[in-house]
């Protein structure tokens, strides 16, 4: 890369004094990473939001309450102990690779806390019987339709007996 020629100063004795090196051009085009009022470079991975910090701390605290230790989590996940500690105390943002390494180590309901509101980590069941699921769905829909019939227990509203029947069908559907 050739240096860019800037307007030369009349006081310069060297003809190259007005030229910028490629490094100078690169550095001048970068946004400042030095924090105002501090003499240190801010690393992007330590710029953690208060929410993310709080959630990470909660996930690891709850995992420890359920019998895991940070050392066991580090060993089982293949992450360094200090890395897991930094996630647990909220001093570093967990990467997506870090999250993936914790699957099967920390329960899904805790890891789901790291996701945006309304999102959940759900394990796909093995050996799904789609015919059984279809039967349970049709059975529920038929019972729900009967419960809304004008001549049912509470007319168009679902009555207490109908609610019990529908609840049992939902349980059967979830079990399928």
């Amino acid at each position: 890369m050739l240096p860019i020629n800037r307007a030369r100063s009349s006081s310069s004795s060297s003809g190259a004094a007005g030229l910028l090196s490629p490094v100078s051009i690169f550095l001048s085009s970068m946004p400042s990473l030095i924090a105002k009022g501090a003499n240190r470079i801010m690393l992007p991975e330590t710029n953690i939001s208060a929410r993310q910090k709080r959630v990470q701390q909660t996930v690891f605290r709850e995992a420890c309450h359920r019998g895991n230790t940070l050392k066991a989590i580090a060993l089982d996940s293949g992450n360094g102990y200090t890395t897991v500690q930094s996630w647990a105390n909220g001093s570093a943002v967990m990467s997506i690779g870090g999250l993936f390494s914790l699957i099967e180590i920390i329960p899904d309901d805790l890891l789901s806390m790291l996701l945006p509101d309304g999102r959940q980590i759900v394990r796909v069941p093995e050996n799904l019987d789609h015919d059984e699921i279809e039967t349970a769905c049709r059975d529920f829909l038929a019972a729900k339709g009967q419960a809304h019939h004008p001549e049912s227990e509470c007319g168009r509203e679902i009555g207490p007996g109908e609610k019990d029947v529908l609840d049992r069908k939902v349980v059967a559907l979830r079990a399928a």
Side-chain angles (χ1 to χ4, degrees):
M1 174 183 263
L2 296 173
I4 295 178
N5 190 356
R6 280 193 145 183
R8 296 179 193 236
S9 166
S10 59
S11 64
S12 92
S13 59
S14 163
L19 298 179
L20 293 176
S21 73
V23 172
S24 297
I25 294 168
F26 173 75
L27 291 176
S28 67
S29 67
M30 288 181 53
S32 177
L33 293 176
I34 298 177
K36 291 185 168 105
N39 193 16
R40 63 187 179 94
I41 295 177
M42 305 250 325
L43 299 174
E45 63 269 7
T46 60
N47 187 9
I48 185 168
S49 74
R51 180 199 176 279
Q52 187 70 18
K53 180 177 183 174
R54 189 175 57 253
V55 170
Q56 282 182 200
Q57 290 170 332
T58 301
V59 166
F60 284 96
R61 183 177 56 249
E62 289 299 315
C64 289
H65 281 285
R66 295 184 187 185
N68 288 319
T69 64
L70 294 182
K71 285 185 180 181
I73 291 169
L75 285 171
D76 293 345
S77 67
N79 293 300
Y81 178 64
T82 56
T83 299
V84 172
Q85 276 184 317
S86 68
W87 294 339
N89 67 27
S91 63
V93 176
M94 184 187 313
S95 67
I96 191 70
L99 175 63
F100 286 177
S101 71
L102 297 175
I103 293 174
E104 306 274 339
I105 311 297
I106 294 180
D108 292 344
D109 64 309
L110 293 179
L111 292 179
S112 292
M113 294 171 67
L114 297 166
L115 302 177
D117 290 340
R119 304 293 180 185
Q120 184 83 20
I121 295 173
V122 178
R123 187 180 310 249
V124 176
E126 294 179 19
N127 304 321
L128 288 175
D129 184 345
H130 294 98
D131 293 329
E132 187 177 318
I133 293 170
E134 177 195 17
T135 301
C137 286
R138 290 181 185 275
D139 191 32
F140 171 78
L141 290 172
K144 176 106 172 37
Q146 287 175 341
H148 282 301
H149 192 275
E151 296 175 13
S152 68
E153 181 180 335
C154 289
R156 287 275 310 139
E157 301 301 316
I158 295 175
E162 295 163 330
K163 182 182 179 320
D164 290 340
V165 169
L166 289 172
D167 288 349
R168 285 194 304 276
K169 296 204 180 286
V170 168
V171 170
L173 180 58
R174 286 187 176 174

